[in-house]
Each structure stands twice: as C-alpha cells, then as structure tokens.
Amino acid sequence: MMAIIEVNELVKEFKVKKKKKGLRGAILNLFYAEKMIVRAVDNISFDIKQGEIVGYIGPNGAGKSTTVKMMSGILHPTSGSVMIDGISPQSNRKKVVAQLGVVFGQRTQLYWDLRLGESFELLKRIYNIDHKTYKKNLDLMDKVLKINTIINRPVRQLSLGQRMRGDLAAAMLHSPKILFLDEPTIGLDIEAKHSVRNFIRQINRELGITVILTTHDLDDVQQLCNRLIVINDGKKIEDGPLDILIDKMAPYRLLVVDMNEENTDFSHEAAQIIKTEGQRVWYRFEKNKITASQLISELSKKYAIKDISVEEPDIEEAIREIYKLTYCRL
C-alpha cells in the first residue's frame, strides 16, 4: 500500500534569545540580546501507510508537536520535506488541510458561546461541505459518539468528556483521510476514555482513516496503535510494530510463584529474584535464554509449588528503557 504521509529528512530550527544572568545581564538582554539556534526536529524520516494507527510519542520537548505542525502546514521546515497524499502542505496548504482532521486535547475548535450544533454548522460553511455529506457524517458521529444528546447545549456548558466528543465529531465532518490526535484522552475519566478509544477504532476500521496519535497515556498506545514511532531531543529513536519494540526493549518475562514450603533460598541460575513476600517469589528471566515452561519445570523439581502465573513486560517498561538508552547517548 502506498504511503499517505511521507516525511523525509525533516529539520526545524528556531532562533531563541540566549539570556545572560544577573542584573547586568538583564540590562544587556534589553539592548544586545544574543541569539542561538535550537534544533527542535533533527533529520526525521518516516512513511505512514493509509489505514495505519501510529503512536508518535516522546518526552516533553522531544519535537512531537513541531513535527505535527509541519505535517499540517502550520510551520515550514528549515529543510527536508513533507508530503500528504502526494501534496506538500507548504506549497498547497489549503488542499492538504481539506484532508486533515486535527484534535488537540487542551485546545478546542468549537465556539464557546454557541450551541454545539451551531459550531458544526459554522464548520460546514468553512469547509464548504455539501448537505448530503454533512448529514451522513453527523449521523455517523451520533452513532459512534452519541452527539445528538449534547448537540443543543452551549459548548461552555459541556463537560470535558462531552467537549472532546464534540471536537472529535467536528474533526470528522469534512471526511478527512488523516486524523491527528494530540493527547485526546487527557483529563478524561474512564468512561470518556473508553468512548474516545472506541471512536478511533471504529473510524479506522469502517472508514480506513489514518490516525497519528501523540500521547503520554501509554494505555492509549497499547489499546490503539499497531506501530510506534519514538522521538527524543528531536531525533527518531525507534520505529516499528508495537509488540516487536516491547520484545526488543524489554526482552524478559516475570514468573510469579507461590511456593508450598518455607525456604530461605528459592534461587535459580537462569532467573533473577526481584521480590519475595512470604512464600510468593517473583522471578525475572530473559525469553531468549529460557522459556517459561522450562523454568517452571526446573523450579518444580527443586521446590513444592502451589500456584504460578506468567506476566509479560508492559509498554511502560519498554518505553522507559528506550528513554534510558536515549539519555545515555545524549
């Protein structure tokens, strides 16, 4: 399948004032402000195919939002290129924007003093959406997000979760091919998060919408994304299928064993004991050195075992390992 988003050797630099310290420095800053170049995005390349749900993550200040702004045409790159469905957002932003839906978790495109439905009508005119398409999309948004239950309320009276439902519906009214989601579940309760995640799955499955998700909520990534791009300090650190990245960065499992005997030493040469509580022992072992079944078999020959369970490493551990390696390189 052809790539719908192509990012090639993308660089974005900003000029920032280098402030001097102290009273003398403060005075000098007023008249002779020294400037320095900061590289927010540093030679990033990737392709995203139509229909993918991609997590684009990194710590604060990594360059995520800057990349998204260049992909949507808000910012121009210092060098490199971006193509959205074969079109450059820098040379033809209007045509590119018609294919994009954007939702920022802490900012809204809805109009505070208008009813939600009036915000939708205004967006219909801005995007020049024909009535048939508008009605079809609004019906779909009601099916997925229950929009009709809140459509007559002023935006200012909506809860955070209701406003997010309104923002998601607004982003889909003009039938975009690509949806950029920046922290879509931030501050939401469990039920609202479930509703947002269900919406993302459904539009991806039924409409083939390509989704780029930037978030610090790793549950969003684990439940939605089939691919993960990790950046830090403006550089791409990892890019690949989520399960492969977890295996690569956290190549171990946890075996939890309830022993049926008292013992001071439950050690095994192929596993590390990371915690004990009474007769319960947590073993950490590398998957490429010994299998869970082998470890269980060998432990059962030495000790009387009451119960066992195997735990896979979670995404949080894998991401923590990626960040740890990145900081070591910097």
Side-chain angles (χ1 to χ4, degrees), residues 131-143:
H131 183 72
K132 185 178 179 181
T133 301
Y134 175 77
K135 182 70 167 57
K136 182 188 74 172
N137 288 343
L138 206 54
D139 287 344
L140 176 61
M141 292 304 103
D142 181 52
K143 176 185 171 185

Side-chain angles (χ1 to χ4, degrees), residues 101-104 168 179-184 200 211-215:
V102 182
V103 176
F104 294 101
L168 290 167
L179 190 59
F180 289 124
L181 300 175
D182 184 19
E183 300 282 1
I200 294 168
V211 180
I212 294 87
L213 174 69
T214 66
T215 181

Side-chain angles (χ1 to χ4, degrees), residues 15-18 33-37:
K15 285 184 180 179
V16 297
K17 291 182 179 180
K18 188 176 180 180
E34 185 181 348
K35 293 185 179 179
M36 55 186 273
I37 301 295

